[in-house]
Coordinates of all heavy atoms in Angstrom, one line a residue:
G9 N -24.8 0.0 -2.3 CA -23.5 0.1 -2.9 C -22.5 1.0 -2.0 O -21.4 0.6 -1.8
G10 N -23.1 2.1 -1.6 CA -22.3 3.0 -0.7 C -21.9 2.3 0.6 O -20.8 2.5 1.1
C11 N -22.8 1.5 1.1 CA -22.6 0.8 2.3 C -21.4 -0.2 2.1 O -20.6 -0.4 3.0 CB -23.8 0.0 2.8 SG -25.1 1.1 3.4
A12 N -21.4 -0.9 1.0 CA -20.3 -1.8 0.7 C -18.9 -1.1 0.7 O -17.9 -1.6 1.3 CB -20.5 -2.5 -0.6
C13 N -18.9 0.1 0.2 CA -17.7 0.9 0.1 C -17.3 1.4 1.5 O -16.2 1.4 1.9 CB -17.9 2.1 -0.8 SG -18.1 1.6 -2.6
R14 N -18.3 1.9 2.2 CA -18.1 2.4 3.6 C -17.6 1.3 4.5 O -16.7 1.6 5.4 CB -19.3 3.1 4.1 CG -19.2 3.7 5.5 CD -20.4 4.3 6.1 NE -21.6 3.4 6.1 CZ -22.7 3.6 5.3 NH1 -22.8 4.6 4.5 NH2 -23.7 2.8 5.3
N15 N -18.1 0.1 4.4 CA -17.8 -0.9 5.3 C -16.7 -1.9 4.9 O -16.4 -2.8 5.5 CB -19.1 -1.8 5.6 CG -20.1 -0.9 6.3 OD1 -19.8 -0.1 7.2 ND2 -21.4 -1.1 5.9
G16 N -16.1 -1.6 3.7 CA -14.9 -2.3 3.3 C -15.2 -3.6 2.6 O -14.3 -4.5 2.6
H17 N -16.4 -3.8 2.1 CA -16.7 -5.1 1.4 C -16.3 -5.0 -0.1 O -17.2 -4.7 -1.0 CB -18.2 -5.3 1.5 CG -18.7 -5.5 2.9 ND1 -18.3 -6.5 3.8 CD2 -19.5 -4.7 3.7 CE1 -18.8 -6.3 5.0 NE2 -19.6 -5.2 4.9
R18 N -15.1 -5.2 -0.3 CA -14.5 -5.1 -1.7 C -15.2 -5.9 -2.7 O -15.5 -5.5 -3.8 CB -13.0 -5.4 -1.7 CG -12.3 -5.1 -3.0 CD -10.9 -5.5 -3.1 NE -10.7 -6.9 -2.8 CZ -10.9 -7.9 -3.7 NH1 -11.4 -7.6 -4.9 NH2 -10.7 -9.1 -3.4
E19 N -15.4 -7.2 -2.4 CA -16.0 -8.1 -3.4 C -17.4 -7.6 -3.8 O -17.8 -7.7 -5.0 CB -16.1 -9.5 -2.9 CG -14.8 -10.2 -2.6 CD -14.1 -9.8 -1.3 OE1 -14.8 -9.2 -0.4 OE2 -12.9 -10.1 -1.1
I20 N -18.2 -7.2 -2.8 CA -19.6 -6.7 -3.1 C -19.5 -5.4 -4.0 O -20.2 -5.2 -4.9 CB -20.4 -6.4 -1.8 CG1 -20.6 -7.8 -1.1 CG2 -21.7 -5.7 -2.1 CD1 -21.2 -7.7 0.3
A21 N -18.6 -4.5 -3.6 CA -18.5 -3.2 -4.3 C -18.0 -3.5 -5.8 O -18.5 -3.0 -6.7 CB -17.4 -2.3 -3.6
Q22 N -17.1 -4.5 -5.9 CA -16.6 -4.8 -7.3 C -17.7 -5.4 -8.1 O -17.9 -5.1 -9.3 CB -15.5 -5.8 -7.2 CG -14.8 -6.1 -8.5 CD -13.5 -6.9 -8.3 OE1 -13.3 -7.5 -7.3 NE2 -12.7 -6.9 -9.3
L23 N -18.5 -6.3 -7.5 CA -19.7 -6.9 -8.2 C -20.7 -5.8 -8.7 O -21.1 -5.8 -9.8 CB -20.3 -7.9 -7.4 CG -21.6 -8.6 -8.0 CD1 -21.2 -9.4 -9.2 CD2 -22.2 -9.5 -6.9
L24 N -21.0 -4.9 -7.8 CA -21.9 -3.8 -8.1 C -21.4 -2.9 -9.2 O -22.1 -2.5 -10.1 CB -22.3 -3.0 -6.8 CG -23.1 -3.8 -5.8 CD1 -23.2 -2.9 -4.5 CD2 -24.5 -4.1 -6.3
L25 N -20.1 -2.7 -9.1 CA -19.5 -1.8 -10.2 C -19.6 -2.6 -11.5 O -19.9 -2.0 -12.6 CB -18.0 -1.5 -9.8 CG -17.9 -0.5 -8.8 CD1 -16.4 -0.4 -8.3 CD2 -18.3 0.9 -9.2
Q26 N -19.3 -3.9 -11.5 CA -19.3 -4.6 -12.8 C -20.7 -4.7 -13.4 O -20.8 -4.6 -14.6 CB -18.8 -6.1 -12.5 CG -17.3 -6.1 -12.3 CD -16.9 -7.5 -11.8 OE1 -17.7 -8.4 -11.4 NE2 -15.6 -7.8 -11.9
R27 N -21.7 -4.8 -12.5 CA -23.1 -4.8 -13.0 C -23.7 -3.4 -13.3 O -24.8 -3.3 -13.8 CB -24.0 -5.4 -11.9 CG -23.7 -6.9 -11.7 CD -24.7 -7.4 -10.7 NE -24.6 -8.8 -10.5 CZ -25.3 -9.5 -9.7 NH1 -26.2 -8.9 -8.9 NH2 -25.2 -10.8 -9.6
G28 N -22.9 -2.4 -13.0 CA -23.4 -1.0 -13.3 C -24.5 -0.6 -12.3 O -25.3 0.3 -12.5
E29 N -24.5 -1.3 -11.1 CA -25.5 -1.0 -10.1 C -25.0 0.0 -9.0 O -25.7 0.2 -8.0 CB -25.9 -2.3 -9.5 CG -26.7 -3.2 -10.5 CD -27.1 -4.5 -9.9 OE1 -27.0 -4.7 -8.7 OE2 -27.5 -5.4 -10.7
L30 N -23.8 0.5 -9.1 CA -23.2 1.4 -8.2 C -22.9 2.7 -8.8 O -22.0 2.8 -9.7 CB -22.0 0.8 -7.5 CG -21.2 1.7 -6.5 CD1 -22.1 2.1 -5.4 CD2 -20.0 1.0 -6.0
D31 N -23.6 3.7 -8.5 CA -23.4 5.1 -9.1 C -22.3 5.7 -8.2 O -22.5 6.1 -7.0 CB -24.7 5.9 -9.0 CG -24.5 7.3 -9.5 OD1 -23.3 7.8 -9.8 OD2 -25.5 8.1 -9.7
V32 N -21.1 5.8 -8.7 CA -20.0 6.3 -7.9 C -20.0 7.7 -7.5 O -19.3 8.2 -6.6 CB -18.6 6.0 -8.7 CG1 -18.4 4.5 -8.8 CG2 -18.6 6.7 -10.0
N33 N -20.9 8.5 -8.2 CA -21.1 9.9 -7.8 C -22.3 10.2 -7.0 O -22.6 11.3 -6.7 CB -21.1 10.7 -9.1 CG -19.7 10.7 -9.8 OD1 -18.7 10.8 -9.2 ND2 -19.8 10.4 -11.1
L34 N -23.1 9.1 -6.7 CA -24.3 9.3 -5.9 C -23.9 9.9 -4.5 O -23.0 9.3 -3.9 CB -25.1 8.0 -5.8 CG -26.4 8.1 -5.0 CD1 -27.4 8.9 -5.7 CD2 -26.9 6.7 -4.7
Q35 N -24.6 10.9 -4.1 CA -24.3 11.5 -2.8 C -25.5 11.2 -1.9 O -26.6 11.5 -2.2 CB -24.2 13.0 -2.9 CG -22.9 13.4 -3.7 CD -22.6 14.8 -3.8 OE1 -23.2 15.5 -4.6 NE2 -21.8 15.4 -2.9
G36 N -25.2 10.5 -0.8 CA -26.2 10.1 0.2 C -26.2 11.0 1.3 O -26.1 12.2 1.2
Q37 N -26.4 10.4 2.5 CA -26.5 11.2 3.7 C -25.3 12.1 3.9 O -24.2 11.7 3.7 CB -26.6 10.3 4.9 CG -26.9 11.0 6.2 CD -27.1 10.0 7.4 OE1 -26.8 8.9 7.3 NE2 -27.7 10.5 8.5
Y38 N -25.5 13.3 4.2 CA -24.5 14.4 4.4 C -23.7 14.6 3.1 O -22.6 15.1 3.1 CB -23.5 14.0 5.5 CG -24.2 13.7 6.8 CD1 -24.2 12.4 7.3 CD2 -25.0 14.6 7.5 CE1 -24.8 12.1 8.5 CE2 -25.7 14.3 8.6 CZ -25.6 13.0 9.1 OH -26.2 12.7 10.3
N39 N -24.3 14.2 1.9 CA -23.7 14.3 0.6 C -22.4 13.5 0.5 O -21.5 13.8 -0.4 CB -23.4 15.8 0.2 CG -24.7 16.4 -0.2 OD1 -25.5 15.8 -0.9 ND2 -25.0 17.6 0.2
D40 N -22.2 12.5 1.3 CA -21.1 11.6 1.1 C -21.2 10.7 -0.1 O -22.3 10.2 -0.4 CB -20.9 10.7 2.3 CG -20.4 11.4 3.6 OD1 -19.9 12.5 3.5 OD2 -20.6 10.8 4.7
T41 N -20.1 10.5 -0.8 CA -20.1 9.6 -2.0 C -19.4 8.3 -1.5 O -18.8 8.2 -0.4 CB -19.3 10.2 -3.1 OG1 -17.9 10.4 -2.7 CG2 -19.9 11.5 -3.6
A42 N -19.4 7.3 -2.4 CA -18.7 6.1 -2.1 C -17.2 6.3 -1.9 O -16.6 5.7 -1.0 CB -18.9 5.1 -3.2
L43 N -16.6 7.2 -2.7 CA -15.2 7.5 -2.5 C -14.9 8.2 -1.2 O -14.0 7.9 -0.5 CB -14.7 8.4 -3.7 CG -13.3 8.8 -3.6 CD1 -12.4 7.6 -3.7 CD2 -13.0 9.8 -4.7
I44 N -15.8 9.2 -0.8 CA -15.6 9.8 0.5 C -15.7 8.8 1.6 O -14.8 8.8 2.5 CB -16.6 11.0 0.6 CG1 -16.3 12.1 -0.3 CG2 -16.7 11.5 2.1 CD1 -17.4 13.2 -0.4
C45 N -16.7 7.9 1.6 CA -16.8 6.9 2.6 C -15.6 6.0 2.7 O -15.1 5.7 3.8 CB -18.1 6.1 2.4 SG -19.6 7.1 2.7
A46 N -15.2 5.5 1.6 CA -14.0 4.6 1.5 C -12.8 5.3 2.0 O -12.0 4.7 2.7 CB -13.9 4.0 0.1
C47 N -12.6 6.5 1.6 CA -11.4 7.3 2.1 C -11.4 7.5 3.6 O -10.4 7.3 4.3 CB -11.3 8.6 1.4 SG -10.8 8.6 -0.3
R48 N -12.6 7.9 4.0 CA -12.7 8.2 5.5 C -12.4 7.0 6.3 O -11.8 7.1 7.4 CB -14.1 8.8 5.8 CG -14.3 9.2 7.2 CD -15.6 9.8 7.5 NE -16.7 9.0 7.0 CZ -17.6 9.5 6.2 NH1 -17.6 10.7 5.8 NH2 -18.6 8.7 5.8
E49 N -12.9 5.9 5.8 CA -12.7 4.6 6.6 C -11.4 3.9 6.3 O -11.1 2.9 6.9 CB -13.9 3.7 6.3 CG -15.2 4.2 6.7 CD -15.3 4.7 8.2 OE1 -14.7 4.0 9.0 OE2 -16.0 5.7 8.4
G50 N -10.6 4.4 5.4 CA -9.3 3.9 5.1 C -9.3 2.6 4.3 O -8.4 1.8 4.4
H51 N -10.3 2.4 3.5 CA -10.4 1.2 2.7 C -9.7 1.4 1.3 O -10.3 1.7 0.3 CB -11.9 0.8 2.5 CG -12.6 0.5 3.7 ND1 -12.2 -0.4 4.7 CD2 -13.7 1.1 4.2 CE1 -13.0 -0.4 5.7 NE2 -14.0 0.5 5.5
R52 N -8.4 1.2 1.3 CA -7.6 1.4 0.2 C -8.0 0.6 -1.1 O -8.0 1.1 -2.2 CB -6.1 1.2 0.5 CG -5.2 1.4 -0.7 CD -3.7 1.1 -0.4 NE -3.3 2.1 0.6 CZ -2.5 1.8 1.6 NH1 -2.0 0.6 1.8 NH2 -2.0 2.7 2.5
E53 N -8.3 -0.7 -0.9 CA -8.7 -1.5 -2.0 C -9.9 -1.0 -2.7 O -10.1 -1.0 -4.0 CB -8.9 -2.9 -1.6 CG -7.6 -3.6 -1.2 CD -7.8 -5.1 -0.8 OE1 -9.0 -5.5 -0.7 OE2 -6.8 -5.8 -0.6
I54 N -10.9 -0.5 -2.0 CA -12.1 0.0 -2.5 C -11.8 1.4 -3.2 O -12.4 1.6 -4.3 CB -13.2 0.1 -1.5 CG1 -13.6 -1.3 -1.1 CG2 -14.4 0.9 -2.0 CD1 -14.7 -1.4 0.0
V55 N -11.0 2.2 -2.6 CA -10.6 3.5 -3.2 C -10.0 3.2 -4.6 O -10.3 3.8 -5.6 CB -9.6 4.2 -2.3 CG1 -9.0 5.4 -3.1 CG2 -10.3 4.7 -1.1
E56 N -9.1 2.2 -4.7 CA -8.5 1.8 -5.9 C -9.5 1.4 -7.0 O -9.4 1.7 -8.1 CB -7.4 0.8 -5.7 CG -6.2 1.3 -5.0 CD -5.2 0.2 -4.6 OE1 -5.4 -1.0 -4.9 OE2 -4.2 0.6 -4.0
L57 N -10.5 0.6 -6.5 CA -11.6 0.2 -7.5 C -12.4 1.4 -8.0 O -12.6 1.5 -9.2 CB -12.6 -0.7 -6.7 CG -12.3 -2.2 -6.5 CD1 -13.4 -2.8 -5.7 CD2 -12.1 -2.9 -7.8
L58 N -12.7 2.3 -7.1 CA -13.5 3.5 -7.5 C -12.7 4.4 -8.4 O -13.2 5.0 -9.4 CB -13.9 4.3 -6.3 CG -14.9 3.5 -5.4 CD1 -15.1 4.3 -4.1 CD2 -16.2 3.3 -6.1
L59 N -11.4 4.5 -8.2 CA -10.5 5.4 -9.0 C -10.4 4.9 -10.4 O -10.0 5.7 -11.3 CB -9.2 5.6 -8.3 CG -9.1 6.4 -7.1 CD1 -7.7 6.4 -6.4 CD2 -9.6 7.9 -7.4
Q60 N -10.7 3.7 -10.6 CA -10.6 3.1 -12.0 C -11.8 3.5 -12.9 O -11.8 3.3 -14.1 CB -10.5 1.6 -11.9 CG -9.2 1.1 -11.3 CD -9.2 -0.4 -11.1 OE1 -10.1 -1.2 -11.7 NE2 -8.3 -0.9 -10.3
R61 N -12.8 4.1 -12.2 CA -14.0 4.4 -13.0 C -13.9 5.8 -13.6 O -13.6 6.8 -12.9 CB -15.2 4.4 -12.0 CG -15.4 3.1 -11.2 CD -15.6 2.0 -12.1 NE -16.8 2.0 -12.8 CZ -17.4 1.0 -13.4 NH1 -16.9 -0.2 -13.3 NH2 -18.6 1.1 -14.0
Q62 N -14.0 5.8 -14.9 CA -13.9 7.1 -15.7 C -15.0 8.1 -15.2 O -14.7 9.3 -15.3 CB -14.0 6.9 -17.2 CG -12.8 6.1 -17.7 CD -12.9 6.0 -19.2 OE1 -14.0 6.1 -19.8 NE2 -11.8 5.6 -19.8
E63 N -16.1 7.7 -14.8 CA -17.2 8.6 -14.5 C -17.0 9.2 -13.1 O -17.8 10.1 -12.7 CB -18.6 7.9 -14.6 CG -18.8 6.8 -13.6 CD -18.4 5.4 -14.0 OE1 -17.5 5.3 -14.8 OE2 -18.9 4.5 -13.4
L64 N -16.1 8.7 -12.3 CA -15.9 9.2 -11.0 C -15.5 10.7 -10.9 O -14.6 11.1 -11.6 CB -14.8 8.4 -10.3 CG -14.5 8.8 -8.8 CD1 -15.6 8.4 -7.9 CD2 -13.2 8.1 -8.4
D65 N -16.2 11.5 -10.1 CA -15.9 12.9 -9.9 C -15.2 13.0 -8.6 O -15.9 13.0 -7.5 CB -17.2 13.7 -10.0 CG -16.9 15.2 -9.8 OD1 -15.8 15.6 -9.6 OD2 -17.9 16.0 -10.0
V66 N -13.9 13.2 -8.6 CA -13.2 13.2 -7.3 C -13.3 14.6 -6.6 O -12.8 14.7 -5.5 CB -11.7 12.9 -7.5 CG1 -11.5 11.5 -8.0 CG2 -11.0 13.9 -8.4
N67 N -14.0 15.5 -7.3 CA -14.1 16.9 -6.7 C -15.4 17.1 -5.9 O -15.6 18.2 -5.4 CB -14.0 17.9 -7.8 CG -12.6 17.9 -8.4 OD1 -11.6 18.0 -7.7 ND2 -12.5 17.8 -9.7
L68 N -16.3 16.1 -5.9 CA -17.5 16.2 -5.1 C -17.2 16.4 -3.6 O -16.3 15.8 -3.1 CB -18.4 15.0 -5.3 CG -19.0 14.8 -6.7 CD1 -19.7 13.5 -6.8 CD2 -19.9 16.0 -7.0
Q69 N -18.0 17.3 -3.0 CA -17.8 17.6 -1.6 C -19.0 17.1 -0.8 O -20.1 17.0 -1.3 CB -17.6 19.1 -1.4 CG -16.4 19.7 -2.1 CD -16.3 21.2 -1.8 OE1 -17.1 21.7 -1.1 NE2 -15.3 21.8 -2.4
N70 N -18.7 16.8 0.5 CA -19.8 16.5 1.3 C -20.3 17.7 2.1 O -19.9 18.8 1.8 CB -19.5 15.3 2.3 CG -18.4 15.7 3.3 OD1 -18.0 16.9 3.4 ND2 -17.9 14.7 4.0
D71 N -21.2 17.6 3.0 CA -21.8 18.7 3.7 C -20.8 19.5 4.5 O -21.0 20.7 4.8 CB -22.9 18.3 4.7 CG -24.2 17.9 3.9 OD1 -24.3 18.1 2.7 OD2 -25.1 17.4 4.5
D72 N -19.7 18.8 4.9 CA -18.6 19.5 5.6 C -17.6 20.2 4.7 O -16.6 20.7 5.1 CB -17.9 18.5 6.5 CG -18.8 18.0 7.6 OD1 -19.6 18.7 8.1 OD2 -18.6 16.8 8.0
N73 N -17.9 20.2 3.4 CA -17.1 20.8 2.4 C -15.7 20.1 2.3 O -14.7 20.7 2.0 CB -16.9 22.3 2.5 CG -18.2 23.0 2.3 OD1 -19.0 22.7 1.4 ND2 -18.5 24.0 3.2
N74 N -15.7 18.8 2.7 CA -14.4 18.1 2.6 C -14.3 17.4 1.3 O -15.2 16.8 0.8 CB -14.4 17.0 3.7 CG -14.3 17.5 5.1 OD1 -13.7 18.6 5.3 ND2 -14.9 16.9 6.1
I75 N -13.1 17.6 0.7 CA -12.7 16.9 -0.5 C -11.7 15.9 0.0 O -10.7 16.3 0.6 CB -12.1 17.8 -1.6 CG1 -13.2 18.9 -2.0 CG2 -11.7 17.0 -2.8 CD1 -12.6 19.9 -3.0
Y76 N -11.9 14.7 -0.3 CA -11.0 13.6 0.3 C -9.8 13.4 -0.5 O -9.1 12.4 -0.3 CB -11.8 12.4 0.6 CG -12.6 12.5 1.9 CD1 -13.8 13.3 1.9 CD2 -12.1 12.0 3.0 CE1 -14.4 13.5 3.1 CE2 -12.8 12.2 4.2 CZ -13.9 12.9 4.3 OH -14.6 13.1 5.4
I77 N -9.5 14.2 -1.5 CA -8.3 14.0 -2.3 C -7.0 14.1 -1.4 O -6.1 13.3 -1.7 CB -8.2 15.0 -3.5 CG1 -7.2 14.6 -4.5 CG2 -7.9 16.4 -3.0 CD1 -7.6 13.4 -5.3
F78 N -7.1 14.8 -0.4 CA -5.9 14.9 0.5 C -5.7 13.6 1.3 O -4.6 13.2 1.5 CB -6.1 16.1 1.5 CG -6.2 17.4 0.8 CD1 -7.4 18.1 0.8 CD2 -5.1 17.9 0.1 CE1 -7.5 19.3 0.1 CE2 -5.2 19.2 -0.5 CZ -6.4 19.8 -0.6
K79 N -6.8 13.0 1.7 CA -6.7 11.7 2.3 C -6.2 10.6 1.3 O -5.4 9.8 1.7 CB -8.0 11.3 2.9 CG -8.0 9.9 3.5 CD -8.3 10.0 5.0 CE -8.3 8.5 5.5 NZ -8.4 8.5 6.9
L80 N -6.6 10.8 0.1 CA -6.1 9.9 -1.0 C -4.6 10.0 -1.1 O -3.8 9.0 -1.2 CB -6.7 10.2 -2.3 CG -8.1 9.7 -2.6 CD1 -8.6 10.3 -3.9 CD2 -8.1 8.2 -2.7
V81 N -4.1 11.2 -1.2 CA -2.7 11.5 -1.3 C -1.9 10.8 -0.1 O -0.9 10.2 -0.3 CB -2.4 13.0 -1.4 CG1 -0.9 13.2 -1.3 CG2 -2.9 13.5 -2.7
K82 N -2.5 11.0 1.1 CA -1.8 10.4 2.3 C -1.8 8.9 2.2 O -0.8 8.2 2.5 CB -2.6 10.9 3.5 CG -2.0 10.4 4.8 CD -2.7 10.9 6.0 CE -2.1 10.4 7.3 NZ -2.8 10.9 8.5
M83 N -2.9 8.3 1.7 CA -3.0 6.8 1.6 C -1.9 6.3 0.7 O -1.2 5.3 1.0 CB -4.4 6.4 1.1 CG -5.5 6.5 2.0 SD -7.1 6.2 1.2 CE -7.3 4.5 1.8
Y84 N -1.8 7.0 -0.5 CA -0.8 6.5 -1.5 C 0.6 6.8 -1.1 O 1.5 6.1 -1.4 CB -1.2 7.0 -2.9 CG -2.4 6.2 -3.4 CD1 -3.7 6.6 -3.2 CD2 -2.1 4.9 -4.0 CE1 -4.7 5.8 -3.6 CE2 -3.2 4.1 -4.4 CZ -4.5 4.6 -4.2 OH -5.5 3.8 -4.7
T85 N 0.8 7.9 -0.4 CA 2.1 8.3 0.1 C 2.6 7.2 1.1 O 3.7 6.7 1.0 CB 2.2 9.6 0.7 OG1 1.7 10.6 -0.2 CG2 3.6 10.0 1.2
L86 N 1.8 6.8 2.0 CA 2.1 5.8 3.0 C 2.4 4.5 2.3 O 3.3 3.7 2.6 CB 1.0 5.6 4.0 CG 0.8 6.8 5.0 CD1 -0.4 6.6 5.9 CD2 2.1 7.0 5.8
K87 N 1.6 4.2 1.2 CA 1.8 2.9 0.5 C 3.1 2.9 -0.2 O 3.8 1.9 -0.2 CB 0.6 2.7 -0.5 CG 0.7 1.4 -1.3 CD -0.5 1.3 -2.2 CE -0.4 0.0 -3.0 NZ -1.5 -0.1 -3.9
V88 N 3.5 4.0 -0.7 CA 4.8 4.1 -1.5 C 6.0 4.0 -0.5 O 6.9 3.3 -0.8 CB 4.9 5.4 -2.3 CG1 6.3 5.6 -2.8 CG2 3.8 5.4 -3.4
F89 N 5.9 4.6 0.6 CA 7.0 4.7 1.5 C 7.1 3.5 2.6 O 8.1 3.4 3.2 CB 7.1 6.0 2.2 CG 7.4 7.1 1.2 CD1 6.5 8.0 0.9 CD2 8.7 7.2 0.7 CE1 6.7 9.1 0.0 CE2 9.0 8.2 -0.2 CZ 8.0 9.2 -0.6
F90 N 6.1 2.8 2.7 CA 6.1 1.7 3.8 C 5.9 0.4 3.2 O 5.4 0.0 2.3 CB 5.0 2.0 4.8 CG 5.4 3.2 5.6 CD1 4.7 4.4 5.4 CD2 6.3 3.2 6.6 CE1 5.0 5.5 6.1 CE2 6.6 4.3 7.4 CZ 6.0 5.5 7.1

């Protein structure tokens, strides 16, 4: 699931979310979550899918203590203005 988010495979991520087979808060290597991976790689469509999930914890941090909410803001600011 996390690999689909990290690599930009929106259809696979969407299917896993629909089936309940993707834990959006699962922290993998370096404590990265699906949201952190999708943000870091700039996969806006997957970020949007993940943000629709009520169980998503946007405050989870990885080993570098990065919270990717700032990257989210940048993604959506660019989307609004361009």
Side-chain angles (χ1 to χ4, degrees):
C11 289
C13 294
R14 179 179 57 246
N15 294 320
H17 301 295
R18 186 187 59 78
E19 295 83 12
I20 294 171
Q22 187 171 18
L23 179 63
L24 292 172
L25 287 168
Q26 288 171 345
R27 291 182 174 181
E29 296 177 11
L30 175 59
D31 179 351
V32 295
N33 295 314
L34 181 68
Q35 291 181 280
Q37 186 177 16
Y38 310 113
N39 284 318
D40 287 342
T41 63
L43 180 64
I44 289 171
C45 291
C47 286
R48 183 177 50 235
E49 301 302 324
H51 299 304
R52 181 181 291 141
E53 290 181 351
I54 292 179
V55 169
E56 290 174 0
L57 282 175
L58 294 170
L59 289 175
Q60 294 173 16
R61 307 301 292 200
Q62 290 182 344
E63 69 272 21
L64 179 69
D65 183 352
V66 297
N67 295 309
L68 290 174
Q69 297 179 3
N70 65 7
D71 286 353
D72 295 326
N73 295 319
N74 290 327
I75 301 176
Y76 279 80
I77 195 73
F78 300 109
K79 178 115 179 172
L80 281 171
V81 170
K82 184 176 179 182
M83 289 172 101
Y84 282 93
T85 301
L86 290 174
K87 183 178 178 181
V88 169
F89 291 108
F90 292 102

